[in-house]
Amino acid sequence: MPKNIALLLATSMLTFGCVNADAISNLVVEDALYSPPINGITAGCSSMGVKKDCDNISGANKKITINGVRMRVAGSSDGRRILVMYSSDRCGFGDSSCQTRASNSAYYVVKNRLTRNGVSIEKVTPVAVSDFINGYLIQVDADGYSLID
């Protein structure tokens, strides 16, 4: 009996932790359309190359607001990698559609701030859990984190 329970729990965790790439392809911002998603359950700060304002449990943990859009951000030491995530006080746990909309809004606000200041975006990778987006990892050509930090 305990063996069956352990198997059931392991299967549930794997199912929840998997990213449904087909489902999220309809949800990601256009800049991330062809980037394979990062699994938000298994990825850590160091594997994404962001250590500033990041922890392996919640991801980006610096809360900021830009143009009225609340979000959480983290960055690499050189500021060329930026993790942008939805604000946890904006969406409840399990509200996947809210988390996706909030992550997309946060991305566009950060993109606008970066491009207005002459920083070019080189790559955008969605960070996803199951079939929703909970953030984006943005790689830029110069220190962009200091512009939003």
Side-chain angles (χ1 to χ4, degrees):
M1 184 72 162
K3 194 183 242 185
N4 291 341
I5 293 172
L7 182 60
L8 180 62
L9 286 172
T11 303
S12 298
M13 287 177 60
L14 287 173
T15 301
F16 179 73
C18 292
V19 174
N20 185 341
D22 290 335
I24 68 161
S25 68
N26 297 324
L27 305 172
V28 298
V29 297
E30 188 174 347
D31 296 342
L33 202 52
Y34 301 106
S35 295
I38 295 169
N39 186 327
I41 296 291
T42 60
C45 299
S46 56
S47 68
M48 290 188 281
V50 293
K51 294 183 181 180
K52 253 175 118 172
D53 304 316
C54 192
D55 70 60
N56 289 323
I57 305 288
S58 62
N61 61 19
K62 181 168 189 170
K63 294 180 179 185
I64 65 168
T65 302
I66 300 175
N67 297 340
V69 177
R70 294 187 313 261
M71 65 190 82
R72 295 175 293 139
V73 295
S76 60
S77 56
D78 65 359
R80 294 179 58 156
R81 283 181 174 253
I82 304 165
L83 178 59
V84 177
M85 299 179 74
Y86 73 94
S87 175
S88 54
D89 62 345
R90 185 172 169 191
C91 300
F93 181 74
D95 190 350
S96 58
S97 62
C98 177
Q99 292 171 12
T100 296
R101 285 190 313 274
S103 294
N104 289 352
S105 295
Y107 169 75
Y108 285 120
V109 170
V110 168
K111 176 184 178 179
N112 187 39
R113 169 79 54 97
L114 295 171
T115 55
R116 278 193 337 212
N117 286 283
V119 175
S120 297
I121 294 175
E122 297 177 337
K123 183 178 180 182
V124 179
T125 307
V127 178
V129 174
S130 187
D131 59 354
F132 65 94
I133 310 297
N134 61 2
Y136 290 94
L137 181 62
I138 307 168
Q139 188 169 329
V140 294
D141 67 347
D143 179 4
Y145 192 62
S146 64
L147 296 170
I148 62 169
D149 183 5

